[in-house]
Amino acid sequence: MRKFLLLLLLWAGSVHAQTIWVSGAVEDSVTHRPVAGVTVSVIDDTTRVLTNAFGLFRMGIPSTVAQLLFTREGYRPLQMTVKSTDRLLITLAPIRKVPDAIALAKASARTRQNSNPNYGNVGMGIHAFYNETYGTTYENKFTRTQVQPVSVFAVDVDRAAYSNIRRFLRLKEPVPVDAVRIEEMVNYFHYNYPLPPEGKTMAVYSHYTSCPWEPAHQLLQIALRAKALQTDSLPPSNLVFLIDVSGSMGVPNKLPLLQAAFRILVNNLRPVDKVAIVAYAGTPGIKLPATAGDQKETILNAIDNLSAGGATAGEAAIKMAYQIAVDQFIPDGNNRVILATDGDFNVGLTSDVEMEELIMQKKESGVLLTCLGFGMKNYKDSKLQSLSSKGNGNFAYIDDLEEASKVFAREFGSTLFTVARDVQTEVTFNPAVVKSYRLIGYENKVYEANTDTLSKHNGGIVGSGHCAVAMYEIVPRDSVMAADKQLANISISYRLPLDTALCTLETDVKARATAFEAAPDDCRFAAAVALLGMILRNSAYRGCGDTDMVSEIARRALGKDKEGYRQEFLKMVKQVRKMKR
């Protein structure tokens, strides 16, 4: 996987006069954080430079091919051959030191002195997670079908919660309950449901099985698959990078990681695309006017030259970015602001409600919003989640370069190109068959069931090739032999990106449940992810489910797993098991 990322970041540049340039970034092979102070030397030459605070370097080499040596105390030296104008991602392996007996004794003493940790919420038993904020969510409860047979929720494929949870687990820190949004965990993964037939925008699939963590219950899983746009038919993009360069971003896992992420995106731009860059701290400024996508060197230089410092004027910056996007608007194109920040706004409008109102005003322009979260300690997840949902947008959390590669390379089309908006799912359960039901996840996307829902609310957006999965836990009626009866009707409503007309897609689900073990891999793996989410939330609805059950289900449902994401999930389950002991 790392080899893939290295190849992905090899970019062509331009040769200026007599100087042949090579540039790149250096990161730690374990933490994937940028490494400052690395000496980059040309072998058999006196030329050498140091990586800056963000792990970046740029240097002249004497010929079109050169041998470079990367050295820094605490890391193994690395020698490699580079070609002229390469842009590189270099990973250095740290040298693990074995502590001596005296050092171990001192560490043990410090541990005893600090045996009473600081807890941010003693009542909930959550270790202080610095100054991070998360929107409060309360788990959906079981609803009696005879009282309310209709369930309505917005559909989108945000995935930020999963990579953020992964960050906590890698740091061996307890995961804040409100950071766990189960639908974002489930929808992080790729599922192999068939694409819609030619000429159709959506296809819906369902599986009705026994419930592994509550044997007396059933599980209804709904998968909504969007059409995939062909690469050569993607509309031209008008992108505005809105980049936070305030003082809070001046640490290795924020601005430098952000810069590396945007380099990956720039690599995928075409001549028909255009990019502008707005950077903001105390005041916003245009770092790059709208520039054609084939002018990669110009765009990359603007990104490389960003530095952090100052307060965070989010309100003024958002207004400036949207104005540029409107001025450069491409009819029938992909017009989008990409906001990259830790969300720590402190100048102008700062509350979640105020920022929501601003974004809701701006989305009327037809410009979409992608929010990218970075960093820790003062990361404002609640604000970014709110902005993306109110601004016809999507939301990802970038915890390392591998995640940046996933979002901007392997899932480039689905991240940036919307095929449906205002997407909602309405499920009507049959009271004769279903005693009660519970939607797992989607807590902040549930709507009241009424005939005016679509006129009062906006749904989510679904990107090219996306697959959105939702699950209901169902309490069936005991006395009814209902195998041939209708369990539920599923109605999907949405609008095309440039159309106000409402489209609908309907299907019925029979009440003939199959054994969970006989369900497809994708169905069972999604259930395993949902169960882990319930465990992390200390859910009262997890029944007999535990991390052993999660691991067993997931291991048997890995499927092809070409990118290794499902295998990585198994490692996360092991970490949760250790932390729960």
Side-chain angles (χ1 to χ4, degrees):
M1 191 67 67
R2 308 308 303 176
K3 290 181 179 178
F4 170 82
L5 187 57
L6 177 59
L7 292 173
L8 187 65
L9 291 173
L10 295 175
W11 292 308
S14 60
V15 178
H16 301 287
Q18 300 300 315
T19 304
I20 301 172
W21 294 101
V22 62
S23 60
V26 181
E27 69 167 15
D28 186 294
S29 65
V30 176
T31 65
H32 304 303
R33 295 176 181 173
V35 182
V38 177
T39 300
V40 186
S41 309
V42 179
I43 294 178
D44 297 329
D45 192 90
T46 58
T47 303
R48 66 183 57 197
V49 297
L50 293 177
T51 58
N52 66 11
F54 310 122
L56 304 175
F57 72 92
R58 186 169 185 260
M59 67 187 305
I61 57 177
S63 60
T64 57
V65 178
Q67 290 281 326
L68 297 188
L69 177 64
F70 297 83
T71 57
R72 188 185 187 282
E73 184 179 358
Y75 289 87
R76 299 185 185 281
L78 176 66
Q79 182 175 326
M80 66 182 301
T81 302
V82 299
K83 297 180 181 179
S84 61
T85 67
D86 275 352
R87 286 180 174 269
L88 307 168
L89 173 65
I90 309 299
T91 57
L92 292 185
I95 299 173
R96 298 187 181 279
K97 297 182 178 179
V98 179
D100 58 28
I102 295 176
L104 286 173
K106 290 181 178 179
S108 177
R110 286 195 299 269
T111 299
R112 289 193 298 271
Q113 292 170 4
N114 296 301
S115 59
N116 184 23
N118 176 32
Y119 283 83
N121 189 323
V122 177
M124 295 178 64
I126 298 175
H127 190 276
F129 40 94
Y130 312 109
N131 192 30
E132 301 187 13
T133 62
Y134 297 90
T136 302
T137 57
Y138 300 96
E139 282 191 291
N140 295 322
K141 299 179 180 180
F142 278 99
T143 300
R144 292 176 57 198
T145 311
Q146 287 186 329
V147 175
Q148 179 55 268
V150 181
S151 171
V152 183
F153 63 95
V155 177
D156 61 25
V157 198
D158 289 342
R159 299 165 178 179
Y162 183 86
S163 50
N164 190 31
I165 290 168
R166 180 176 61 199
R167 182 253 301 189
F168 276 101
L169 294 177
R170 284 176 173 172
L171 294 174
K172 295 181 173 57
E173 289 282 346
V175 179
V177 169
D178 289 325
V180 182
R181 295 185 291 272
I182 292 176
E183 73 280 3
E184 294 184 23
M185 295 178 64
V186 171
N187 288 324
Y188 181 86
F189 298 91
H190 174 77
Y191 299 103
N192 295 302
Y193 292 101
L195 291 167
E198 187 70 26
K200 301 294 184 180
T201 302
M202 298 280 193
V204 61
Y205 303 93
S206 64
H207 295 285
Y208 186 47
T209 72
S210 56
C211 180
W213 54 84
E214 194 64 72
H217 294 177
Q218 309 285 5
L219 198 62
L220 173 63
Q221 198 168 130
I222 301 168
L224 179 63
R225 186 71 193 271
K227 70 177 182 180
L229 301 175
Q230 298 299 317
T231 303
D232 56 2
S233 64
L234 292 174
S237 291
N238 162 36
L239 305 177
V240 180
F241 296 169
L242 178 53
I243 299 177
D244 183 352
V245 293
S246 63
S248 67
M249 295 292 290
V251 294
N253 64 347
K254 291 188 179 182
L255 183 58
L257 180 57
L258 181 158
Q259 290 169 304
F262 275 107
R263 289 193 198 97
I264 295 173
L265 174 54
V266 170
N267 186 53
N268 285 280
L269 297 178
R270 304 157 298 172
V272 296
D273 303 324
K274 52 186 175 181
V275 170
I277 299 177
V278 173
Y280 66 98
T283 58
I286 300 174
K287 299 299 182 182
L288 182 74
T291 301
D294 58 352
Q295 302 297 309
K296 289 181 170 46
E297 186 70 19
T298 300
I299 301 171
L300 292 170
N301 283 339
I303 293 172
D304 287 349
N305 289 328
L306 297 173
S307 59
T312 313
E315 175 194 2
I318 289 172
K319 290 179 178 178
M320 178 180 288
Y322 269 90
Q323 186 58 54
I324 294 172
V326 169
D327 291 343
Q328 298 293 327
F329 196 87
I330 301 175
D332 300 328
N334 174 37
N335 300 279
R336 187 178 297 263
V337 170
I338 302 178
L339 170 62
T341 177
D342 58 12
D344 190 17
F345 305 137
N346 51 37
V347 175
L349 303 179
T350 59
S351 76
D352 289 1
V353 173
E354 290 173 319
M355 297 302 290
E356 284 177 15
E357 292 176 352
L358 173 61
I359 289 296
M360 289 181 71
Q361 295 171 9
K362 296 302 180 183
K363 80 172 183 179
E364 300 302 322
S365 65
V367 176
L368 302 178
L369 177 67
T370 292
C371 292
L372 302 177
F374 290 84
M376 61 183 70
K377 295 188 178 181
N378 61 342
Y379 169 57
K380 308 303 183 187
D381 179 273
S382 59
K383 196 179 298 291
L384 295 180
Q385 182 197 14
S386 175
L387 294 182
S388 67
S389 64
K390 300 297 182 182
N392 265 354
N394 49 14
F395 176 29
Y397 177 81
I398 309 296
D399 58 335
D400 60 21
L401 284 176
E402 181 62 33
E403 185 65 16
S405 178
K406 180 179 186 288
V407 171
F408 283 142
R410 288 184 290 279
E411 298 175 0
F412 175 72
S414 56
T415 298
L416 294 185
F417 295 89
T418 299
V419 298
R421 61 185 179 90
D422 296 336
V423 185
Q424 291 188 354
T425 295
E426 181 176 299
V427 182
T428 304
F429 291 99
N430 182 359
V433 177
V434 178
K435 184 177 181 180
S436 61
Y437 61 87
R438 187 179 86 86
L439 178 62
I440 301 174
Y442 290 94
E443 282 85 1
N444 57 3
K445 300 178 178 68
V446 173
Y447 295 147
E448 292 295 327
N450 59 67
T451 55
D452 295 327
T453 294
L454 288 168
S455 62
K456 291 182 179 180
H457 299 281
N458 291 318
I461 66 170
V462 176
S464 170
H466 263 162
C467 185
V469 174
M471 276 171 273
Y472 286 91
E473 186 174 340
I474 291 173
V475 180
R477 289 204 173 276
D478 299 331
S479 60
V480 179
M481 298 299 293
D484 295 324
K485 292 188 177 182
Q486 178 175 308
L487 176 81
N489 171 265
I490 302 171
S491 177
I492 310 294
S493 58
Y494 61 93
R495 293 183 173 92
L496 299 178
L498 301 174
D499 197 348
T500 57
L502 190 66
C503 305
T504 58
L505 173 64
E506 290 195 25
T507 188
D508 291 331
V509 181
K510 292 293 184 181
R512 186 182 299 277
T514 61
F516 180 78
E517 295 76 11
D521 287 345
D522 283 348
C523 176
R524 288 181 287 120
F525 187 83
V529 178
L531 177 55
L532 182 66
M534 288 189 280
I535 291 170
L536 288 171
R537 288 189 62 88
N538 297 315
S539 171
Y541 302 106
R542 66 182 185 177
C544 63
D546 57 18
T547 52
D548 289 338
M549 179 182 288
V550 173
S551 182
E552 181 66 18
I553 294 173
R555 188 181 299 109
R556 293 175 178 271
L558 290 177
K560 295 181 180 179
D561 193 28
K562 292 189 299 183
E563 303 295 345
Y565 298 137
R566 297 189 184 191
Q567 285 285 356
E568 180 189 61
F569 173 78
L570 287 175
K571 296 178 182 178
M572 289 174 58
V573 176
K574 290 181 181 179
Q575 186 61 43
V576 174
R577 183 185 296 120
K578 292 178 182 178
M579 295 175 66
K580 290 291 183 181
R581 288 174 180 170

